Amino acid sequence: MQQKPRDRGRQWLRHGHPRTPPGDGSDVAPWLQRAISLEVPGLAHAVVAVAGAALGIGVWRVVSGGYALFPNGVVGWSFALLTGLIVGHLVALGRDRWWGGTGSGAALTMAILLLYGWTPATLVSLAVVVLVGAARRHSWRQALRHGAVDILGIGSSALCLAAFGTRPSVEHPWTPAEWSPSTLPEVLLAAFAYLLVTRGLLWYLTAPRQEGLPTVARTALLRQGLIAVALLGISPLIVVVAAHTPLLLPLFAVPLVALDSALWIARARAEEQLRDPLTGLANRQWLLERTWSALDEADRLGARSALVLIDLDRFRSVNDTLGHLAGDRLLLQIADRLRTALPHGAEVARLGGDEFAVLLPLADSPTSAQRVARALVSALGSPLDLDGLTLELEASAGVAVFPDHAGEAEGLLRRADVAMYQAKRDRSGVEVYEATRDGNTPDRLGLLGDLRRALDAGEVELHYQPKVNFDGSVSGLEALVRWVHPERGRVPPDEFIAIAETSGLMPRLTDYVLETALAQVARWRSQGLSVPVAVNVSPRDVHSPGFAGSVAARLARHGVPAAALQLEITEHVLLEDPQRAADTLAALTGHGVRMSLDDFGTGYSSLVHLRRLPVSELKIDRSFVARLAVDAEDAEIVRCTVDLAHSLGLFVVAEGVEDDETWERLRDLGCDAVQGWLVSAAMPPAETTSWLRTRDGVPPPVERTPPVLRGPGGKGGTRRSHGQPAR
């Protein structure tokens, strides 16, 4: 029976990463993963208390029985010197241990345990811990914890020896002369018990609580385990030398320190693979491993997990202006702010550059994850101090939620990335992933291929919507793209234009529109119809090298004067590379092409942009025009916009005009021209030609029936075409 996608996703989660080969530990049983992630309250205090009690009882029994606590003579002093050399090595490392005491000190402790028993071994272990803790001063709590764990590990090893009837002491050491082939399993079992108890307890006491071990951590643990086995394998050799030539014991410091250093190298390499070297945050590999574990747990509980991807806006300008060292210091402040602003249970990682990710292992809903993302973005938006310079950075964040948007870690990260770039484009701060806006889904990738083939076959059409002055004359036409898919039918322009913008097909689409529009303008001019046509261009087009030259070449090839072409742009052209955009726009206006600022009033409209953009026309967005007659605030915004544009010498067009009252109000406010269904819908070329001939006094072949729209309340209403001044 074929599995459903949801079932396959669950199976994928339960068995780990699909690219991870079996047998590497990634297929750990769920009960073992939950045992590893289990947090036992008060475990640290219990370990210290039990170890202290065991040590006290052991010392009391030895002293009360009149036995020695440690060997004297040459053997005792040789062991003391070897212990001092090991302590000096550990202090020289200058940093706290990662996995604890499995190292040279453990090898020495194991040797003394085999030779003299539990009490002398614990005294050596305590000597190492106390001396290292005293040298570091700040590590007393850690030293106490490690010492207690070592005591319990030595105790478990001593119990294994006792099970075989071996109870060595200072007075009756277990010398190699008493060993036999049956001794090997006994020694191996004692060493294994020591490793198991110390590693297990230190993991529960010091490791972060999470489901299972990341692959990198498993690899590092295996590498350290092999080195630990090598270290403990030296223990019987130490016993042999101590029994026959104790003066040579200090020489064991050389192999012990060498293997201990190899242990530290293994630790450092593992950390480098899991941590970002600049900020100390987790890196991408750790994030993916941790996300897999979180998704597995969320799937088991029937809950949601969320991933928030955060990217700083225009951070490159900081590096370019202040230098990379200043940028690094700024990233350190950003990392600190993210740590401080994290909600309980969330984890943060740096993916590279100025990109960060926050994992929410459990999220109530996409809305709650979006609230967390907004709080993080807000925390990053407050002023930062950099060498006395106050900086205010903005950030954009994308949110993807399991299982709503993806069923595996890499998919969740990709879709959070899509949402983040959508937030950047819309300047909205935070966006939750929407499949309809993702050009990477199989359905949209199929639509992208169909669009590319439609452009090659010339199946994409241009319709033209008039812009009319209040005296009834035509001020121009706007070319609008229309595509009828052979199977899907009419595809909304917003949908396939968004696909083109996110896929790199936008320059191809712009070339197609320019070529088609200029060819149509040339045909109209040959028929005596001279009317300028406006074409929308995207920021990517303006930032493309040679764009101005290619437009000029097309005008020349079609024999169309530059004044017959108008390019409609938005303020977003200045957000990514202002200098390149300014150079391209200056070159276009230098060729005589007129520029129009579209969608004014939305996004980040400002006087600065109006001054920097060489536009001759300003178009008021339909969102303000639609409620002009009923909303006093919108009416005031339109009035101020018209006055501002006229003061700068700009021609003003209102978009989305659909009723007589709005027409009248716009005329009273001093607007220059209108565009919308009241004038005419966008028309195919042949119908546009008939419409233009009507306005030029040439009788049209057939009068077009105005479109019927649904008015308020669901009633049909006929929009008349304003060919003459409004009554």
Side-chain angles (χ1 to χ4, degrees), residues 93-377:
L93 288 174
R95 49 184 171 174
D96 297 337
R97 287 190 259 180
W98 186 34
W99 291 111
T102 299
S104 51
L108 177 60
T109 300
M110 191 68 190
I112 295 177
L113 171 67
L114 294 174
L115 192 58
Y116 298 118
W118 182 78
T119 303
T122 56
L123 293 177
V124 170
S125 175
L126 282 178
V128 173
V129 169
V130 169
L131 291 174
V132 172
R136 294 177 181 169
R137 295 186 180 180
H138 65 283
S139 304
W140 275 107
R141 180 173 296 179
Q142 183 185 18
L144 182 64
R145 183 170 58 235
H146 286 175
V149 168
D150 241 20
I151 289 173
L152 295 182
I154 296 168
S156 64
S157 186
L159 289 175
C160 290
L161 293 177
F164 286 89
T166 303
R167 293 181 176 85
S169 65
V170 174
E171 286 74 19
H172 303 285
W174 190 35
T175 60
E178 304 174 31
W179 294 0
S180 64
S182 61
T183 302
L184 182 61
E186 185 177 349
V187 173
L188 290 178
L189 183 60
F192 176 77
Y194 176 82
L195 285 176
L196 181 64
V197 171
T198 53
R199 295 313 92 213
L201 285 177
L202 282 175
W203 170 256
Y204 276 101
L205 292 175
T206 62
R209 301 269 73 82
Q210 65 181 58
E211 286 271 335
L213 287 173
T215 300
V216 174
R218 286 195 298 267
T219 304
L221 192 56
L222 176 62
R223 189 184 300 126
Q224 290 199 18
L226 293 174
I227 296 173
V229 169
L231 281 165
L232 294 178
I234 297 177
S235 298
L237 299 179
I238 297 176
V239 174
V240 172
V241 172
H244 294 88
T245 316
L247 280 175
L248 298 180
L249 282 176
L251 296 180
F252 275 100
V254 176
L256 290 177
V257 167
L259 285 172
D260 210 12
S261 298
L263 188 68
W264 281 102
I265 292 172
R267 175 259 186 191
R269 288 179 176 173
E271 266 205 341
E272 287 173 0
Q273 294 180 68
L274 292 172
R275 295 285 168 186
D276 171 55
L278 174 64
T279 63
L281 298 177
N283 62 12
R284 179 185 292 269
Q285 186 168 1
W286 181 93
L287 175 74
L288 288 174
E289 295 277 1
R290 182 65 187 96
T291 302
W292 273 108
S293 298
L295 299 191
D296 190 16
E297 179 66 10
D299 184 63
R300 185 177 65 83
L301 298 174
R304 285 184 171 92
S305 284
L307 198 62
V308 180
L309 200 62
I310 302 173
D311 189 85
L312 303 179
D313 296 339
R314 298 184 296 280
F315 179 76
R316 188 177 65 179
S317 61
V318 175
N319 280 335
D320 294 343
T321 305
L322 303 178
H324 289 278
L325 290 178
D328 288 346
R329 293 200 300 275
L330 197 60
L331 288 174
L332 288 172
Q333 293 191 44
I334 293 295
D336 289 339
R337 286 199 174 181
L338 284 174
R339 288 190 189 99
T340 304
L342 282 180
H344 178 70
E347 301 168 65
V348 62
R350 182 189 177 211
L351 304 186
D354 59 341
E355 195 171 54
F356 298 84
V358 173
L359 172 65
L360 305 176
L362 293 177
D364 295 334
S365 65
T367 303
S368 66
Q370 187 178 28
R371 281 198 300 268
V372 171
R374 290 197 184 281
L376 294 172
V377 168

Side-chain angles (χ1 to χ4, degrees), residues 3-22:
Q3 286 181 306
K4 296 179 181 179
R6 171 67 173 164
D7 296 331
R8 286 198 299 270
R10 286 183 174 175
Q11 184 181 20
W12 198 5
L13 284 171
R14 291 194 179 101
H15 289 81
H17 198 296
R19 290 195 297 265
T20 304

